Amino acid sequence: MDLKKLEVWFVTGSQHLYGEETLKQVAAHSQTIAKSLNAAKQIPVTVVFKPTVKSPEEIYNTILEANTTKNCIGIIAWMHTFSPAKMWIGGLRILQKPLVHLHTQFNRDIPWGTIDMDFMNLNQSAHGDREFGFMMTRMRLDRKVVTGHWEDPETLDQLNAWARAAAGWNDWQGAKFARFGDNMRYVAVTEGDKVEAEMKFGYSVNTYGIGDLVKVVNSITDKQIDTLVKEYEDSYTLAPSLHKGKDQHSSLREAARIELGLRTFLEDGNFKGFTDTFEDLHGMAQLPGIAAQRLMGSGYGFAGEGDWKTSALVRAMKVMGSGLPGGNSFMEDYTYHFEPGNNLVLGAHMLEICESIANGKPFCEIHPLGIGGKADPVRLVFNSAAGPAINASIVDMGNRFRLLVNEVEAVAPTHDLPKLPVARVLWKPYPDMKTGCSAWIQAGGAHHTGYSQNLTSEHMRDFADMAGIEFALIGKKTDLYQFRNELRWNEAYYK
Ligand code: MN
């Protein structure tokens, strides 16, 4: 996904009081900043300069236009001078796009020897931005506030995180996710209110009979399968039995047929992700393994067992991480290593981990699957790189959605796992295993997550703010006692 196709608008507030000369300088400074942000390598989207807004009408009209401009995913607002904030009420009341308040000023340093009252009149964001901030706070509007000089790398990094979150948020608006079959029977955390989700998040989830998919899968031609099998051979290290002429080659062809069918179904229906369940595979030869892995690799959201919330989250994370090194995948906390001093979580799924987090060339293998009662599924097997990562989960609390994030440190695998033929990751949760896992469970976090190597908790917090949902972070500084209180206090806040 090319995020440069998306725009954020750089909007500077002022008023007519200052006169033409000063307003000309305001416009020139704003243009310089917008241009510099647009050119900065940290900013993944296009930054568009907008003329200074100086009256309630100009503010209203600019925000109205931002709301209705499809490519505009958000607004960067800055008050170079003083912009009396009652002028902003009308515009902010209709604001539907994410907003970041850039609390900066044109000059980095005070020009000690030359500073006079003209300079003071032009460079007043130190108080102009407070007036604007009051109004957004008074109106209870969630936004990000970034303080710092506009050329400061930290400022750019914070704007980068916000812009990426806005891209993910924009992608959700009007997005469609396909659900094959229902939820895995009796599972709780993967359930949720799809009506509320559509109202809150902007995406829809609708169900499709597995038979509708099977029909498409069965319409795939041998020639299409030949081409995809060739791609498998070129991209992965194939298990000997899957090679042409060997006894399980037909299973590889069947896996390719399933991938092509799913891909066609998703493309034809303009879906951004899907979920399936091993309990409803009537007419399918295998549970989609390599298909789900590679479709995630192409940018589709996915989660198993009917988990549409995680599927949509994985999709949003993929959009947010576009162009960054590292990947994003569906993940499940599978099993623990409780060795004193070296506690670890082994993350995996039955099959479906995205190839974008693979370290090196994946192996393509076929093994029996204990559940589901279908033919042995083909899957990609790989390890994942060491380094900082996050796990994220959206849970439906009944009265609200909660986005829960745990910062983790992935570690390099220390052992071969010859009898575990699935893609897997090892990580240490922050602040430590005991606190991290206890806090996650106290917060009701799912066993399914979106796992990211290239996003941070900052991206996710900005994203939660845009959605207007609760955000709970388990990170390096988390204290279990404080964290539990935070959850209790949030309960009152969202009542
Ligand atoms: Mn699962």
Side-chain angles (χ1 to χ4, degrees):
M1 279 156 272
D2 181 9
L3 301 185
K4 268 287 169 197
K5 287 182 184 154
L6 304 171
E7 297 177 358
V8 298
W9 288 6
F10 190 85
V11 176
T12 308
S14 189
Q15 60 179 323
H16 285 293
L17 182 76
Y18 298 102
E20 274 310 300
E21 226 17 73
T22 302
L23 287 173
K24 252 188 219 161
Q25 288 181 65
V26 168
H29 288 174
S30 301
Q31 234 160 338
T32 302
I33 296 177
K35 220 171 141 184
S36 164
L37 295 180
N38 187 49
K41 64 176 191 323
Q42 290 100 320
I43 307 293
V45 297
T46 298
V47 179
V48 178
F49 165 81
K50 286 284 152 182
T52 313
V53 288
K54 306 170 293 293
S55 66
E57 294 75 20
E58 287 175 2
I59 291 166
Y60 182 88
N61 288 335
T62 299
I63 292 179
L64 182 66
E65 197 189 339
N67 283 344
T68 54
T69 302
K70 267 199 158 175
N71 274 359
C72 173
I73 62 165
I75 290 175
I76 303 175
W78 174 50
M79 307 301 125
H80 189 355
T81 48
F82 198 80
S83 183
K86 287 199 323 190
M87 296 198 313
W88 283 85
I89 294 174
L92 291 176
R93 277 178 69 203
I94 61 160
L95 176 67
Q96 287 167 1
K97 298 273 166 102
L99 185 144
V100 59
H101 182 181
L102 177 59
H103 183 41
T104 191
Q105 67 182 15
F106 188 68
N107 54 300
R108 195 195 70 178
D109 301 338
I110 293 176
W112 304 106
T114 57
I115 187 167
D116 57 11
M117 270 325 285
D118 283 348
F119 181 92
M120 296 283 272
N121 272 334
L122 178 63
N123 298 284
Q124 350 182 350
S125 45
H127 65 279
D129 272 331
R130 285 165 206 255
E131 167 76 358
F132 178 70
F134 161 72
M135 187 47 72
M136 291 206 76
T137 296
R138 174 69 178 78
M139 294 174 75
R140 274 66 173 175
L141 294 175
D142 272 331
R143 77 286 191 191
K144 185 176 197 176
V145 180
V146 176
T147 300
H149 191 253
W150 47 281
E151 287 174 307
D152 176 356
E154 276 180 26
T155 302
L156 294 171
D157 284 344
Q158 285 183 275
L159 290 175
N160 178 8
W162 173 84
R164 288 180 173 281
W169 178 247
N170 176 68
D171 183 73
W172 264 10
Q173 306 315 304
K176 297 198 292 179
F177 291 88
R179 188 157 175 252
F180 299 110
D182 203 310
N183 202 50
M184 180 179 164
R185 283 189 280 276
Y186 300 110
V187 175
V189 78
T190 49
E191 290 277 14
D193 185 338
K194 298 198 284 293
V195 174
E196 185 64 21
E198 186 163 351
M199 287 162 56
K200 203 79 195 164
F201 299 137
Y203 66 71
S204 65
V205 182
N206 284 293
T207 190
Y208 293 85
I210 197 76
D212 293 344
L213 173 60
V214 167
K215 211 170 120 191
V216 183
V217 168
N218 290 340
S219 74
I220 300 301
T221 66
D222 283 344
K223 201 162 163 245
Q224 286 173 286
I225 295 173
D226 292 343
T227 309
L228 185 56
V229 165
K230 176 83 178 49
E231 193 181 323
Y232 290 170
E233 289 164 353
D234 294 344
S235 310
Y236 313 115
T237 305
L238 251 55
S241 67
L242 293 175
H243 282 277
K244 204 165 182 178
K246 294 294 162 68
D247 54 339
Q248 288 180 305
H249 184 67
S250 61
S251 297
L252 187 68
R253 293 186 64 84
E254 193 52 43
R257 180 194 303 282
I258 292 170
E259 177 183 334
L260 288 160
L262 259 167
R263 198 176 284 274
T264 304
F265 190 97
L266 296 172
E267 280 171 7
D268 288 352
N270 201 20
F271 295 106
K272 290 181 171 173
F274 70 104
T275 175
D276 58 17
T277 169
F278 64 87
E279 285 174 336
D280 190 352
L281 293 172
H282 301 288
M284 301 273 284
Q286 309 168 8
L287 174 67
I290 189 171
Q293 294 180 289
R294 284 171 46 87
L295 284 163
M296 268 190 276
S298 305
Y300 286 102
F302 172 81
E305 292 113 27
D307 186 353
W308 51 271
K309 293 196 298 294
T310 304
S311 175
L313 182 63
V314 167
R315 163 67 186 194
M317 291 169 81
K318 284 180 172 295
V319 174
M320 288 190 250
S322 290
L324 295 174
N328 290 276
S329 177
F330 170 51
M331 188 57 68
E332 180 166 313
D333 301 75
Y334 231 99
T335 201
Y336 290 151
H337 184 64
F338 272 140
E339 178 191 352
N342 184 35
N343 285 185
L344 294 165
V345 180
L346 173 65
H349 204 259
M350 290 193 299
L351 306 169
E352 313 95 328
I353 299 297
C354 178
E355 60 177 349
S356 69
I357 65 165
N359 198 11
K361 190 176 181 175
F363 294 89
C364 181
E365 303 180 6
I366 180 166
H367 301 275
L369 188 67
I371 52 179
K374 290 287 168 179
D376 297 354
V378 176
R379 81 288 302 274
L380 298 175
V381 179
F382 52 83
N383 287 310
S384 192
I390 56 168
N391 273 311
S393 166
I394 290 185
V395 290
D396 186 337
M397 294 295 295
N399 62 342
R400 66 187 186 277
F401 290 105
R402 166 180 286 162
L403 175 56
L404 178 64
V405 172
N406 187 193
E407 295 172 338
V408 305
E409 192 70 32
V411 300
T414 46
H415 297 77
D416 286 336
L417 308 169
K419 299 256 172 89
L420 186 75
V422 292
R424 62 264 171 154
V425 191
L426 279 173
W427 67 77
K428 291 172 188 275
Y430 282 116
D432 57 72
M433 181 87 163
K434 290 182 181 187
T435 310
C437 295
S438 294
W440 186 273
I441 286 170
Q442 289 282 1
H447 54 286
H448 283 173
T449 59
Y451 176 85
S452 179
Q453 296 173 321
N454 54 25
L455 301 174
T456 66
S457 56
E458 185 179 2
H459 294 92
M460 305 312 291
R461 185 172 51 231
D462 289 352
F463 187 72
D465 278 342
M466 290 167 193
I469 62 169
E470 180 188 1
F471 179 76
L473 172 66
I474 306 165
K476 289 178 186 171
K477 292 177 190 159
T478 296
D479 169 86
L480 194 53
Y481 175 76
Q482 287 300 332
F483 185 75
R484 290 190 67 189
N485 276 339
E486 193 184 310
L487 297 178
R488 289 188 180 114
W489 296 330
N490 285 351
E491 199 59 41
Y493 176 86
Y494 287 96
K495 267 273 173 336

